[in-house]
Amino acid sequence: MAATAPTITLRRPDDWHLHFRDGNMMKAVVGETARHFARAIVMPNLVPPVVRGADAAAYAERIRAALPEGARFTPLMTLYLTEETDPADVRAAAEAGIITAVKLYPAGATTNSASGVRDFKKVRPVLEVMEQIGLPLCIHGEVTDKDVDIFDREAVFIDRTLDPLRREMPGLRVIMEHITTRDAVDYVRAAERNLGATITVQHLIINRNHILAGGIRPHYYCLPVAKREEHRVAVRGAAVSGDARFFFGSDSAPHLDHAKESACGCAGCFSATNAVSAVTEVFDQDGALDKLEAFLSLNGPAYYRLPANEERITLEKGEPVAYPAKIPTPEGELTVFDPGFPLHWRVVG
Ligand code: DOR
Ligand code: ZN
């Protein structure tokens, strides 16, 4: 008699950090996320950025209209914090249920972040409203100073910006997005309240050698850039620990292949297609499948003060999962993140 395949059932996961873009790109990728995830925090770094509540409402409507027939998926919208953001508009958008968080990009930190924050004093009134109403602030935690080495930008941000901000506004609910360093893991672990962190698929799997050793691999280039192995090990240890302060945010960030495979390639890994299988494989490799549901489905909603999903998904372990290497769009293809090892866990229901 054939042995039955191992399975694991968990509450349907959410993605607490995601890029959908707009237009044809959004239409090409929205189903990749909606297939497995119930909700996603949708990043506002469009061109132009999603700055006002009305922009977020219109963008949410475009996402809902692009969903495949029958998809049960809720986009959780964010506003892009600028030095001109109107605190009253943020409050109104939160109270109307249009937005779930606000995103802070230090100016120039990453793709489409030119309208981000230079002078934190200028956004203080918005942050005060957020602190008052408990609206989470998602932070891209990297300094942008030219004199700071790109591999040190996250650690320096913690000391220069994040820690002073949290001391000044201890009631502000912060998420340090896509952490990549032991420094960030230690900092989040030391926080008693009001600090969580998202972790991507790629930062569980790759270190900087994957990007640079033996040839430059643009599809592994994202921001914050993957660091040395000891940092990957620390980030992975945080994810598989089950610690409620760490939860999944793919940072799946589609760019067309020609924009990645270029003399000045864009930052971003596109992982929506295989993220659930890849994260499950990682937890299996580490003997931590008992913590998978916490990371994918429980810790995020708890931090955001939202209910966990009632629906369940089941994964089954077997032959390597076949998934497309590329996703077509009318403007060209985009490459799906390659974990570099086979994925044995297939979402079956
Ligand atoms: O790699 C990244 N890509 N990091 C970000 O912070 C932004 C994102 C994008 O929008 O492409
Ligand atoms: Zn991002």
Side-chain angles (χ1 to χ4, degrees):
M1 202 173 84
T4 46
T7 62
I8 182 166
T9 296
L10 28 134
R11 284 174 188 263
R12 200 150 165 238
D14 301 303
D15 185 344
W16 298 97
H17 181 132
L18 177 70
H19 299 267
F20 268 148
R21 317 297 187 208
D22 212 342
N24 283 338
M25 178 63 99
M26 181 205 20
K27 289 179 187 143
V29 300
V30 93
E32 298 301 296
T33 288
R35 189 180 300 131
H36 297 149
F37 295 96
R39 299 171 287 196
I41 290 276
V42 179
M43 287 296 124
N45 62 333
L46 305 183
V47 191
V50 180
V51 173
R52 298 190 59 88
D55 303 332
Y59 184 31
E61 202 39 57
R62 294 198 295 282
I63 294 168
R64 284 191 287 266
L67 284 169
E69 190 72 28
R72 293 179 306 281
F73 175 81
T74 306
L76 303 176
M77 307 310 291
T78 60
L79 295 181
Y80 187 119
L81 183 61
T82 73
E83 293 179 358
E84 285 77 46
T85 292
D86 173 8
D89 182 65
V90 171
R91 180 192 287 274
E95 285 173 359
I98 295 167
I99 58 163
T100 303
V102 170
K103 177 68 187 267
L104 188 157
Y105 288 101
T110 187
T111 313
N112 306 335
S113 63
S115 335
V117 174
R118 284 187 176 75
D119 178 358
F120 277 73
K121 283 197 294 298
K122 298 208 173 127
V123 296
R124 178 83 193 209
V126 178
L127 300 183
E128 277 168 5
V129 165
M130 293 175 63
E131 185 176 32
Q132 215 179 65
I133 65 177
L135 185 66
L137 180 69
C138 302
I139 299 187
H140 183 111
E142 288 190 288
V143 294
T144 55
D145 314 48
K146 296 275 179 287
D147 59 323
V148 178
D149 188 277
I150 190 165
F151 292 102
D152 298 333
R153 288 180 176 188
E154 183 172 288
V156 172
F157 183 87
I158 295 169
D159 291 343
R160 279 196 198 165
T161 310
L162 183 58
D163 192 55
L165 174 68
R166 292 189 56 251
R167 282 175 198 276
E168 267 180 55
M169 307 190 75
L172 187 63
R173 302 178 50 66
V174 172
I175 299 105
M176 196 177 175
E177 300 285 33
H178 41 51
I179 57 167
T180 62
T181 56
R182 176 188 300 282
D183 312 68
V185 168
D186 291 347
Y187 184 71
V188 173
R189 281 209 175 113
E192 271 159 37
R193 53 197 281 271
N194 292 339
L195 184 61
T198 55
I199 296 177
T200 71
V201 184
Q202 63 268 21
H203 295 118
L204 295 171
I205 295 173
I206 65 164
N207 63 35
R208 63 196 202 179
N209 281 8
H210 291 79
I211 312 170
L212 295 169
I216 188 158
R217 292 188 177 72
H219 295 292
Y220 287 147
Y221 172 63
C222 67
L223 288 172
V225 70
K227 310 295 192 296
R228 329 176 145 262
E229 177 64 2
E230 66 180 271
H231 293 291
R232 184 193 68 85
V233 168
V235 168
R236 184 149 158 166
V240 302
S241 72
D243 184 325
R245 291 167 290 196
F246 300 98
F247 40 93
F248 180 64
S250 69
D251 199 14
S252 185
H255 292 278
L256 294 174
D257 280 352
H258 74 77
K260 299 264 320 157
E261 298 166 6
S262 144
C264 183
C266 294
C269 298
F270 178 76
S271 60
T273 306
N274 55 4
V276 172
S277 290
V279 171
T280 305
E281 191 80 22
V282 162
F283 276 62
D284 192 7
Q285 288 168 358
D286 288 11
L289 285 173
D290 60 326
K291 301 294 193 320
L292 181 68
E293 186 177 42
F295 182 67
L296 281 180
S297 317
L298 299 176
N299 296 349
Y303 190 79
Y304 274 89
R305 297 177 173 160
L306 292 169
N309 299 307
E310 282 305 327
E311 241 183 89
R312 267 51 176 190
I313 63 163
T314 297
L315 292 109
E316 186 179 287
K317 189 174 187 179
E319 289 305 306
V321 179
Y323 55 85
K326 293 182 188 286
I327 304 291
T329 87
E331 280 86 39
E333 292 180 319
L334 62 114
T335 293
V336 174
F337 174 71
D338 175 9
F341 45 75
L343 305 179
H344 299 92
W345 290 91
R346 180 188 326 273
V347 180
V348 291

